[in-house]
Amino acid sequence: MFDIPVGEFFEFIINWLTDNWGGFFDLITVTVKTFLVGIENILLFPHPIVMIIILAGLAWYISGKGVGIFTVIGLFVVEGMNMWEGTMETMALIFTAVLIALLIGIPVGIWASKSKTVENIVRPILDFMQTMPAFVYLIPAVLFFGLGQVPGIIATLIFAMPPAVRLTNLGIRQVPEEIREAALAFGSDSKQMLLKVELPVALPTILAGVNQTIMLALSMVVIAALIGAGGLGQPVVTGLQQLDIGLGFEGGLAIVILAVFLDRVTQSLGTATQ
C-alpha cells in the first residue's frame, strides 16, 4: 500500500503560516487580549454582591422569578467557594469567543441561505469543525498565538461557531414563501427583504443558534485551561493533576451554575421573540 502524508502536509501549512504571517497573528493576539482584559475589568470591578444583584435582576427580568432566585443562590455558592474571579474570567472568555463567532458566523449563515453554492462549500467545513476532536484545535492555536487566554479563545470560537452558521441559514430558508411574496408585493428590495422580513422572522431560530454557540463555548472551558486560558477550567485541571477531588468538584459545580444561568437566559430571549 502507499502512504498519504496528510499529517506532514498539515504540519507544513502550519509552519509556513507561522513563519510568514507571524505579524498578522501578533496583531490578532494584541486585539483579542485587549478586548478580553477590558471585559474582565468590567466584570470584576463591582463588588461580587453588586454583580450578583445585577445578574440576578437580569435573569429575573428575562427568564422569570425561578431563574432569578437560582442565580442569586448559585452565584452566592460560587462566591462562597472562592470561585468568583474564575467565574468572571470564564464569562469574559466566553463573551469574547461567542461575540467573534457570531460576527463571523451569522453573516456566513446569511450568505449560505442566499446561495446554494456557498451552502455546499460551507456545509462540509462545518461538519469538519464539529467532528474534529476539540483537543486538536489547541495545537495550531498554540503555534499561532502561544500559550494563554488568546489561543483558548481562538480554539473555542472555532469549535462553537458552526451552530450560529447552520441555524442562521436554516432560519432564513424556513421563512414562509407567502411572507416573502407579500413583502415583494409591497415593493421591498433585497435589503429590506433581509432586514425587515427574513431576519425578524428567523430571529427565534438564530437565537437558538446563539444559545448553542454559548453552550459549546462553555464546554471548551476545561480544555482551554490546558493551554493556560485560566478561568473555571483551571481548578478542574489542577484537581485532576493533583487528585484534589474537592477543588475539581468546586470548579465543575461553578461551571454548571454558570451554564444553567446562560442557558436559561438565552433560551428565554429566543422564546420571547416568537
Side-chain angles (χ1 to χ4, degrees):
M1 295 297 289
F2 53 88
D3 292 331
I4 302 177
V6 176
E8 293 177 10
F9 176 72
F10 181 73
E11 184 178 353
F12 170 78
I13 294 294
I14 296 296
N15 290 333
W16 184 86
L17 288 172
T18 305
D19 293 338
N20 295 279
W21 289 74
F24 175 69
F25 295 124
D26 290 342
L27 178 63
I28 293 177
T29 301
V30 172
T31 304
V32 173
K33 182 70 176 178
T34 302
F35 184 81
L36 176 66
V37 170
I39 298 296
E40 283 183 355
N41 290 337
I42 291 173
L43 292 175
L44 288 170
F45 177 73
H47 191 277
I49 293 179
V50 176
M51 202 63 192
I52 289 172
I53 293 172
I54 293 173
L55 294 176
L58 184 68
W60 193 314
Y61 177 74
I62 295 175
S63 304
K65 182 179 177 181
V67 179
I69 294 172
F70 169 83
T71 303
V72 172
I73 297 172
L75 293 181
F76 268 112
V77 171
V78 168
E79 168 64 6
M81 294 188 299
N82 295 319
M83 293 285 171
W84 183 259
E85 186 173 343
T87 302
M88 294 300 104
E89 288 176 356
T90 298
M91 282 188 71
L93 189 146
I94 291 172
F95 180 81
T96 304
V98 169
L99 179 64
I100 299 173
L102 296 181
L103 287 176
I104 299 172
I106 291 179
V108 172
I110 292 172
W111 194 13
S113 72
K114 301 294 181 184
S115 169
K116 190 66 179 175
T117 302
V118 174
E119 186 188 32
N120 289 337
I121 295 172
V122 168
R123 183 183 295 171
I125 296 174
L126 296 178
D127 292 340
F128 180 86
M129 291 166 66
Q130 283 192 295
T131 54
M132 178 66 73
F135 286 95
V136 177
Y137 293 128
L138 300 182
I139 301 171
V142 169
L143 291 174
F144 291 149
F145 304 102
L147 295 173
Q149 293 170 310
V150 174
I153 289 172
I154 300 299
T156 299
L157 78 89
I158 294 173
F159 182 71
M161 190 190 305
V165 180
R166 288 188 194 279
L167 290 177
T168 300
N169 178 25
L170 178 66
I172 293 177
R173 286 183 181 276
Q174 285 184 334
V175 173
E177 199 57 37
E178 294 81 5
I179 295 179
R180 287 197 176 95
E181 291 175 357
L184 289 173
F186 281 100
S188 297
D189 57 24
S190 58
K191 183 179 178 182
Q192 291 171 327
M193 177 70 77
L194 176 65
L195 297 179
K196 297 184 177 181
V197 177
E198 292 175 331
L199 285 180
V201 174
L203 190 57
T205 306
I206 295 173
L207 287 176
V210 174
N211 174 271
Q212 290 302 305
T213 300
I214 293 173
M215 291 299 103
L216 284 178
L218 196 55
S219 72
M220 279 288 290
V221 166
V222 176
I223 297 174
L226 295 173
I227 55 174
L232 290 175
Q234 191 57 51
V236 177
V237 172
T238 304
L240 183 63
Q241 292 172 337
Q242 301 178 357
L243 295 180
D244 188 337
I245 298 173
L247 181 64
F249 182 80
E250 287 180 350
L253 180 61
I255 292 173
V256 170
I257 291 170
L258 184 59
V260 172
F261 165 73
L262 293 173
D263 181 58
R264 298 299 184 272
V265 170
T266 52
Q267 269 191 6
S268 298
L269 283 175
T271 304
T273 59
Q274 290 179 347

